[in-house]
Amino acid sequence: MRLLNVFLATSALTLFASAASAVDLEFYFPVAVGGPAAGTIQSLTEDYMAAHPDVKIDAIYTGSYADTTTKAITAVRGGNAPQLIISLSTDMFTFIDEEMIVAWDAYVTEEEKESWIGGFYPAFMANSQTEGKTWGIPFQRSTPVLYWNKEAFAKAGLDPEKGPANWAEMVEMGKKLTVKDASGNVTQWGVHIPSSGFPSWLWTGIVAGNGGLLADDTGTKVTFNSDAAVGALEALVALSATDGVMAPGILDWGGTPKAFFEGQAAMIWTTTGNLTNVRTNAPFDFGVGFLPGLTKNGAPTGGGNFYLLKGSTDEELQAAADFVKWATAPEQAAKWTIATGYVAPRPDVWETQTMKDYVKDFPQALVARDQLDYAVAELSTFEGPKVTQLLNSALEAAITGQKSPKEALDAAQAEADAILAAYR
Amino acid sequence: MNRRTWIHAWLMLLPAFVFLIAFTHLPAVTTLIDSFWTTGKGRRAAVFTGLGNYRKMLEDPIFIKAMVNSAVYAAITIPASILLSLAMALLVHRSFRGVSLMRMAFFTPTVLPLIAVANIWLFFYAPGFGLIDQIRLVVGLPSANYVGQPDTALYAVAAVTIWKEAGFFMIFFLAALQTIPQSLREAAAIEGCGRWTFFRLVTLPLIMPTTLFVSVNAVINAFRLVDHVFVMTKGGPDSATMLLLYYIFETGFRFWDTAYAAALTVVLIAILSVVGIGQFFLADRRVHYK
């Protein structure tokens, strides 16, 4: 009997204790780049818990972006959603359609709307706001840039300190940089623009550089076959077909840095997420520049946002929002950027001493920031994965010469319209 | 049989039934039911469409492409892997120095996970610095991008499947060959029968049951083995390597159109049932040597 009393007393005590420790939060995060991203997130949450003992955050690594989205949707359908996730900014419309996220507006004060939400780069907010509300908070965001091999430039008689300023220059330089052996086989290509899996991402940048946009911010309307878009695809196809400066066919993303290191390609387009990788592994000096545009500068943004999920109490969601406010504050965001290579999402992050020291040592990181002035939203619509996939198929058909650019894009436009009609 | 025995029998069977019903039969039935509804989203509830999802398939160019691709893929991988495995079995069904080493070499691909195999082959196929391209460069051929071109991608993927499967099937053929009595070979030798005639008239009929078993497995695998598509092509370029099962995954877990994915699954199950049942019933009469 005494034993039972002791047992009851202890369990009552435990109950009381857990009630007192206020808020327990769950937080799903993906890792999409190499490097210590997972460790950095863990240490961020631990720092936060040390400063806020009334909040307990369980940060759960959930694989790739696609895995994280899958797990979050499954958790919501199963009725035990986490409070907070990081997933692709382009999944915003999918999450709204599933009615699984809540807007941030209810968890920020009027003043914070100005100072906090208003403080992010507009290029990143483009994939985070619709219907007059803010649904995502930019965190692990990136943008693609052009890397060039200074040694190869010097060998071809080009100024190694100057990358191409526009598309025409890139083609011109590419011709000089394309090297053939005695039997006429190419041993070094001028340009390498990866196209496996999701060619639409880089192509969005080419379209923006030609003065076009692929979608509006309602997520219900796309313009795949505008003159700007068709021109952009024709230019991309021409790189292999007529200019002869890029290897034909679909080029693998994974093999792109490798092709650069091995001297297979003198200029590559890839994400800033590879900056640290290239800096460590390239056996030569390299330069980093804006994506060369057809008529002006243009680039897409990419990467992940914070989302608040439905299914928790207001108190829990408020605690999750407060954590995100802290994580995106300048000092924390600077730490995150340096550890991962993601672009710091707010101008005030770049003003911190930590960031200033970092860019003094590594000025290439600034290119990505400066390019944000010209960056546009990544393609994001309702039924996003499906619409993006049919665009990707169209681009692949044009790149491999199955269809003409106009033909491929007209077909993709018609298919996308058929899907999006239900949402207008 | 008395009551007690019946109860015992049912109790023994119960665990198996529970798992079979929970993980095979119930999902199959709900899949069939789901395929008659639209996909419910937060903002729009699911509505009954009858055969709507099935009608959509007929107008879905990617579905048609996936069906054609799956047929081509099956038509290549099934006979090729069976013939190759039979040839390998005949080769190592003898005793010579290093025969176990050779058997092991043939069997190794079976042991490797398909994802790892796909990554190895991706390196073989890589344009510029891949194994195949380096050989091509030595003999003076231009670089080729096998998985990046729609006209070669499906064959490049099929080659991986054949390489992976042949070793597994070889084991069955090898076992079958070893059950053929030595006396038949001696009798044939006395009759002055050639090796080819012996193979055609004695060996082949005697291993027919194994061939049937292997071909049923080959057919199932032709629809089931898609892991390498995830790694190598993701169904691209331009759906050139889109296989039915990969399309089901993409529709269900990337597009979240679960109702349409359910309908596609029903089609896949129907195809497999027809092929499987057909194989057993049609071939059964000619399989067993009498």
Side-chain angles (χ1 to χ4, degrees):
Chain A
M1 197 63 211
R2 185 183 278 171
L3 205 66
L4 187 67
N5 276 337
V6 172
F7 174 73
L8 282 176
T10 15
S11 40
L13 211 71
T14 339
L15 256 176
F16 178 73
S18 61
S21 84
V23 206
D24 277 351
L25 300 178
E26 258 190 345
F27 164 36
Y28 289 1
F29 70 93
V31 172
V33 294
T40 311
I41 294 241
Q42 291 291 358
S43 76
L44 272 178
T45 53
E46 274 158 27
D47 288 354
Y48 186 75
M49 285 190 285
H52 301 79
D54 54 331
V55 180
K56 192 176 163 298
I57 303 173
D58 193 6
I60 303 164
Y61 166 62
T62 39
S64 66
Y65 278 120
D67 294 342
T68 303
T69 298
T70 306
K71 280 172 188 153
I73 291 180
T74 316
V76 169
R77 289 186 179 176
N80 53 350
Q83 286 76 29
L84 188 66
I85 62 168
I86 293 178
S87 203
L88 283 178
S89 59
T90 49
D91 278 337
M92 177 175 70
F93 291 108
T94 305
F95 291 152
I96 292 175
D97 202 24
E98 289 278 346
E99 289 207 315
M100 58 182 270
I101 53 174
V102 290
W104 290 82
D105 304 60
Y107 303 97
V108 294
T109 62
E110 279 306 314
E111 195 231 315
E112 280 172 331
K113 267 185 197 166
E114 283 289 314
S115 63
W116 184 50
I117 292 182
F120 290 92
Y121 283 105
F124 287 146
M125 291 317 283
N127 275 117
S128 314
Q129 293 173 319
T130 187
E131 301 174 355
K133 287 181 187 158
T134 303
W135 302 88
I137 296 297
F139 188 57
Q140 45 188 48
R141 300 297 296 265
S142 59
T143 181
V145 287
L146 179 138
Y147 297 70
W148 77 87
N149 177 340
K150 289 188 180 173
E151 234 167 66
F153 267 55
K155 221 176 273 173
L158 296 163
D159 178 1
E161 296 309 317
K162 256 186 67 192
N166 54 46
W167 190 274
E169 260 186 52
M170 180 180 79
V171 173
E172 216 41 58
M173 291 173 166
K175 283 180 181 161
K176 289 187 185 141
L177 289 162
T178 303
V179 181
K180 291 181 180 167
D181 65 6
S183 49
N185 295 323
V186 175
T187 55
Q188 173 183 291
W189 290 100
V191 194
H192 183 114
I193 300 179
S195 45
S196 67
F198 47 102
S200 64
W201 191 49
L202 290 178
W203 184 67
T204 305
I206 308 177
V207 174
N210 203 22
L213 279 178
L214 294 177
D216 66 0
D217 66 356
T218 63
T220 59
K221 200 169 160 288
V222 293
T223 40
F224 290 164
N225 59 350
S226 66
D227 290 344
V230 174
L233 187 51
E234 280 167 354
L236 179 62
V237 170
L239 286 182
S240 311
T242 52
D243 301 330
V245 296
M246 188 163 83
I250 297 298
L251 303 179
D252 190 45
W253 272 94
T256 299
K258 177 109 171 118
F260 190 56
F261 305 151
E262 301 265 321
Q264 297 271 332
M267 294 183 274
I268 58 165
W269 289 34
T270 191
T271 162
T272 45
N274 265 315
L275 257 181
T276 318
N277 180 17
V278 175
R279 182 154 78 141
T280 327
N281 293 315
F284 44 73
D285 259 359
F286 69 97
V288 175
F290 288 178
L291 295 186
L294 283 157
T295 59
K296 56 181 200 154
N297 289 327
T301 58
N305 279 352
F306 278 114
Y307 293 99
L308 283 178
L309 263 55
K310 265 189 194 161
S312 300
T313 62
D314 261 357
E315 191 199 4
E316 287 168 332
L317 291 177
Q318 184 65 55
D322 289 340
F323 166 67
V324 173
K325 286 173 202 165
W326 176 85
T328 52
E331 271 311 318
Q332 284 69 254
K335 215 181 281 174
W336 173 245
T337 295
I338 292 165
T340 58
Y342 283 115
V343 185
R346 305 164 57 88
D348 54 12
V349 181
W350 298 90
E351 300 301 320
T352 59
Q353 197 52 45
T354 328
M355 273 315 267
K356 281 183 181 158
D357 293 345
Y358 172 63
V359 296
K360 202 181 290 164
D361 183 44
F362 192 37
Q364 282 98 327
L366 282 174
V367 173
R369 180 197 70 178
D370 296 340
Q371 187 173 254
L372 288 182
D373 291 342
Y374 311 101
V376 298
E378 188 178 0
L379 177 63
S380 173
T381 62
F382 283 99
E383 301 274 353
K386 204 184 265 183
V387 171
T388 310
Q389 180 58 37
L390 65 89
L391 175 61
N392 282 333
S393 280
L395 296 178
E396 287 169 353
I399 292 169
T400 54
Q402 309 285 297
K403 288 182 186 165
S404 80
K406 175 96 177 104
E407 215 183 327
L409 292 174
D410 279 344
Q413 178 70 37
E415 287 171 55
D417 278 337
I419 292 170
L420 292 174
Y423 292 86
R424 287 181 192 146
Chain B
M1 240 187 283
N2 65 31
R3 241 183 95 105
R4 246 183 110 94
T5 331
W6 274 109
I7 292 171
H8 265 160
W10 278 109
L11 279 177
M12 297 285 206
L13 287 171
L14 189 65
F17 268 128
V18 168
F19 281 104
L20 212 63
I21 287 169
F23 293 107
T24 306
H25 298 311
L26 267 185
V29 171
T30 39
T31 300
L32 184 65
I33 295 169
D34 283 351
S35 75
F36 299 123
W37 293 71
T38 63
T39 304
K41 292 277 170 71
R43 290 185 172 185
R44 285 166 296 131
V47 291
F48 186 77
T49 60
L51 293 175
N53 284 322
Y54 296 91
R55 266 195 297 274
K56 190 166 133 193
M57 273 178 215
L58 299 176
E59 291 160 15
D60 178 355
I62 300 176
F63 169 72
I64 292 163
K65 186 94 193 242
M67 291 298 278
V68 173
N69 283 347
S70 292
V72 172
Y73 181 76
I76 296 170
T77 58
I78 297 168
S81 56
I82 292 176
L83 288 178
L84 185 63
S85 59
L86 184 56
M88 292 193 313
L90 288 169
L91 195 66
V92 297
H93 171 56
R94 283 178 294 175
S95 46
F96 54 88
R97 276 176 71 103
V99 69
S100 2
L101 198 71
M102 202 151 174
R103 284 180 187 173
M104 197 189 75
F106 287 161
F107 192 64
T108 309
T110 309
V111 185
L112 297 174
L114 192 47
I115 297 285
V117 167
N119 277 302
I120 296 170
W121 278 78
L122 207 54
F123 175 71
F124 288 173
Y125 286 137
F129 50 87
L131 178 72
I132 295 176
D133 243 23
Q134 293 199 357
I135 296 171
R136 286 178 68 106
L137 276 176
V138 168
V139 293
L141 286 167
S143 166
N145 189 351
Y146 291 100
V147 286
Q149 295 286 7
D151 41 352
T152 52
L154 187 60
Y155 305 112
V157 170
V160 179
T161 314
I162 296 165
W163 184 80
K164 167 95 177 129
E165 285 208 298
F168 183 56
F169 295 154
M170 178 197 75
I171 295 292
F172 295 105
F173 279 123
L174 198 56
L177 287 174
Q178 281 169 350
T179 60
I180 296 175
Q182 192 60 28
S183 54
L184 288 179
R185 190 175 294 275
E186 285 158 8
I190 291 168
E191 298 283 338
C193 162
R195 287 176 71 174
W196 169 242
T197 320
F198 180 79
F199 175 75
R200 197 165 51 89
L201 294 179
V202 181
T203 313
L204 213 50
L206 283 176
I207 60 169
M208 247 348 220
T210 306
T211 315
L212 174 69
F213 173 77
V214 164
S215 64
V216 169
N217 271 287
V219 169
I220 293 169
N221 283 351
F223 289 92
R224 196 176 63 92
L225 285 185
V226 296
D227 311 24
H228 51 327
V229 175
F230 286 82
V231 176
M232 297 179 74
T233 61
K234 297 197 166 45
D238 189 22
S239 306
T241 55
M242 186 65 78
L243 299 174
L244 188 51
L245 186 55
Y246 185 80
Y247 189 46
I248 292 174
F249 170 82
E250 196 171 55
T251 309
F253 296 102
R254 281 193 55 219
F255 303 163
W256 291 100
D257 192 349
T258 41
Y260 189 47
L264 291 168
T265 310
V266 171
V267 170
L268 178 63
I269 294 172
I271 293 173
L272 284 179
S273 316
V274 168
V275 172
I277 294 169
Q279 257 175 328
F280 273 106
F281 278 97
L282 285 177
D284 213 29
R285 275 175 292 150
R286 310 206 294 125
V287 159
H288 294 286
Y289 189 69
K290 285 176 190 128

